[in-house]
Amino acid sequence: MPFEVVEVTGPSMAPTLLDGDRLVVRFGRPVRPGHIVILRHPFQQDLLVVKRAAERRSGGWWVLGDNAFAGGDSTDYGTVPEELILATARLRFRPRRAHQSSLPARLSWALSALRPLPADASASSRLRAR
């Protein structure tokens, strides 16, 4: 299947992605700087991680989390070989939380629950600068 739904766990992509968010990902699509990608962890290949492709380097992609304090990205394990990048995220769906039960909270959730995830080159530039 070219598309699949995956669940985000952990804080490494906050505030863009939160723990529990769902992503619609597409396999086999070319990666561009700023794309949010699903990849196999270079040292634990049975572990899938979500990061932002910051830039193409010799040997693969430099990937970073949007949350600089969470770690677990190319600053720890270096460039990720192209063959470990599995998919790019196309859409984010944020499930409604239990505390979002009032009408205003439900309306706010409905307006922000589904978001496209295009390649964000400006995020890629900000991440490379750190």
Side-chain angles (χ1 to χ4, degrees), residues 8-130:
V8 175
T9 58
S12 72
M13 288 299 292
T16 308
L17 303 175
L18 302 178
D19 189 57
D21 283 354
R22 307 303 195 280
L23 301 177
V24 174
V25 300
R26 184 168 183 193
F27 294 90
R29 185 160 172 106
V31 177
R32 293 193 332 233
H35 269 155
I36 294 175
V37 296
I38 310 302
L39 60 119
R40 291 192 186 282
H41 191 286
F43 301 143
Q44 276 182 277
Q45 293 190 8
D46 59 334
L47 176 66
L48 299 180
V49 294
V50 178
K51 300 294 175 198
R52 188 175 301 275
E55 67 183 6
R56 189 102 167 91
R57 292 189 177 181
S58 169
W61 282 93
W62 190 259
V63 297
L64 297 169
D66 286 2
N67 180 353
F69 301 107
D73 55 24
S74 285
T75 57
D76 295 325
Y77 46 72
T79 303
V80 175
E82 184 84 33
E83 61 269 13
L84 295 183
I85 308 279
L86 303 177
T88 57
R90 309 308 298 154
L91 293 169
R92 182 216 70 204
F93 174 73
R94 184 161 288 158
R96 191 168 56 86
R97 310 279 186 214
H99 69 277
Q100 295 174 311
S101 56
S102 70
L103 181 59
R106 285 178 184 232
L107 290 173
S108 175
W109 167 80
L111 292 172
S112 67
L114 187 64
R115 290 272 165 94
L117 294 170
D120 184 353
S122 67
S124 178
S125 299
R126 287 191 314 275
L127 291 170
R128 281 196 313 267
R130 64 169 199 216

